[in-house]
């Protein structure tokens, strides 16, 4: 069983965190052929944390967990903090495959998406 | 002449700001049929500011300026700070049409993009 976890920074504003949960819920519908479970996690300021969300996926039966960073720029969070959590959890669960997908902003398709929004104007 | 300005938060890390400039440059190639000029601006911590980038576009001959917020969540920056700059500049230049496009994270296509990244795993 494969699980996907959308990881966002987390905000003091509840509405921003709710937006992330809504995106994860909508994403679940789009990837249901590939992922039995889609969760969400926050790096800071909100819960669940990344380790909590990974544990939850494993408890639900995941044998593979993919972490998808919902970040636009490749700062310390993307390069150090998120990978560190993944590494820690991988050590605790050597029988589970935990993968880190590229961060959203690094996708070449982000340019196409920006272009399609721009071309509506 | 129409101009597009990609607006990001801005970072203390130069490499993050350079990433935004590179995205604006690549975006220019994709929207060249619609926009004669594509600039970039930062809300905080880096330059040019939003007013500076709008002025630059006008000096270059823009009669229409579209502001595209490169933000994932609809916080204070998206709802208050960016629109406030747009409003101020619109008042200063009533002969120029200055529009605010929806922020990136609000696009329904962002779900498709996240799904396509996820489905590679």
């Amino acid at each position: 069983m494969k699980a996907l976890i959308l990881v966002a920074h987390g905000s003091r504003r509840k509405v921003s965190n709710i937006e992330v949960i809504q995106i994860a819920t909508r994403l679940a519908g789009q990837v249901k052929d590939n992922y039995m479970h889609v969760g969400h996690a926050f790096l800071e300021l909100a819960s669940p944390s990344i380790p909590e969300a990974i544990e939850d996926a494993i408890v639900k039966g995941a044998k593979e967990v993919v972490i998808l960073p919902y970040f636009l720029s490749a700062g310390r969070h993307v390069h150090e903090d998120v990978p560190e959590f993944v590494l820690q959890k991988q050590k605790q669960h050597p029988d589970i495959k935990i993968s880190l997908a590229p961060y959203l902003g690094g996708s070449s398709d982000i340019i196409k998406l920006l272009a399609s929004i721009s071309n509506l104007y």
Side-chain angles (χ1 to χ4, degrees), chain A:
Chain A
M1 194 275 251
K2 247 170 106 177
L4 178 67
I5 297 168
L6 185 71
V7 174
H9 184 278
S11 173
R12 284 183 186 85
R13 295 175 68 254
K14 275 192 181 173
V15 69
S16 289
N17 300 330
I18 289 168
E19 203 178 350
V20 172
I21 298 170
Q22 288 171 336
I23 287 170
T25 304
R26 291 172 62 196
L27 181 58
Q30 299 253 335
V31 298
K32 62 182 186 301
D33 293 343
N34 199 14
Y35 294 95
M36 297 277 285
H37 168 70
V38 176
H40 62 272
F42 299 100
L43 190 62
E44 296 176 358
L45 305 170
S47 64
S49 67
I50 300 172
E52 284 166 351
I54 293 174
E55 283 301 322
D56 176 58
I58 293 171
V59 164
K60 284 177 172 141
K63 300 295 174 202
E64 282 189 57
V65 181
V66 177
I67 305 297
L68 178 57
Y70 191 57
F71 286 81
L72 283 180
S73 74
R76 183 172 49 81
H77 294 320
V78 164
H79 280 316
E80 295 174 29
D81 301 338
V82 177
E84 182 61 30
F85 279 120
V86 172
L87 203 66
Q88 280 174 18
K89 279 286 148 190
Q90 184 64 85
K91 278 184 188 162
Q92 280 176 32
H93 297 282
D95 51 327
I96 308 288
K97 184 183 172 193
I98 307 178
S99 310
L100 183 57
Y103 71 106
L104 176 64
S107 165
S108 60
D109 286 337
I110 204 105
I111 309 288
K112 287 184 203 165
L113 180 50
L114 290 168
S116 73
I117 298 172
S118 308
N119 284 331
L120 296 175
Y121 283 78

